[in-house]
Amino acid sequence: MLFTVHFIEKKTVVLSQLLRNIPLIDDPVKIKGRKGKVIDVEFVDQNKINVYVLFEEVKKKQLVTFDPKKRRR
């Protein structure tokens, strides 16, 4: 039996899939290259399921600051 699974982050739907297996709470998930964790699973209908996901924060690399004292040679 196939289930319609909607992966939701905050209030936005990130991904909708037809799956045979329902993800469980605290399962690791990788959606669109982002690692996350299942927070909650909510059954809407017999075949419709909302899965709430919390993604890891993406750390941005700091740019190298320009030092005017250094000269190019």
Side-chain angles (χ1 to χ4, degrees):
M1 179 180 224
L2 290 173
F3 299 102
T4 305
V5 180
H6 301 284
F7 292 94
I8 301 172
E9 178 193 20
K10 298 181 184 172
K11 292 185 180 181
T12 59
V13 177
V14 180
L15 177 69
S16 295
Q17 281 186 325
L18 287 174
L19 297 174
R20 292 182 193 268
N21 299 328
I22 302 168
L24 301 174
I25 296 176
D26 292 334
D27 275 355
V29 183
K30 189 171 184 181
I31 299 173
K32 295 183 179 180
R34 298 170 62 193
K35 293 180 183 178
K37 190 176 185 181
V38 176
I39 297 172
D40 190 23
V41 178
E42 178 182 295
F43 292 88
V44 178
D45 271 341
Q46 185 178 4
N47 293 334
K48 294 181 184 176
I49 300 166
N50 290 342
V51 175
Y52 295 95
V53 180
L54 178 66
F55 288 110
E56 293 179 2
E57 293 291 324
V58 177
K59 297 180 182 177
K60 294 183 180 179
K61 296 180 182 177
Q62 286 199 349
L63 297 175
V64 178
T65 57
F66 177 70
D67 190 8
K69 294 179 182 177
K70 293 184 178 178
R71 288 183 33 178
R72 294 186 188 172
R73 295 183 184 188

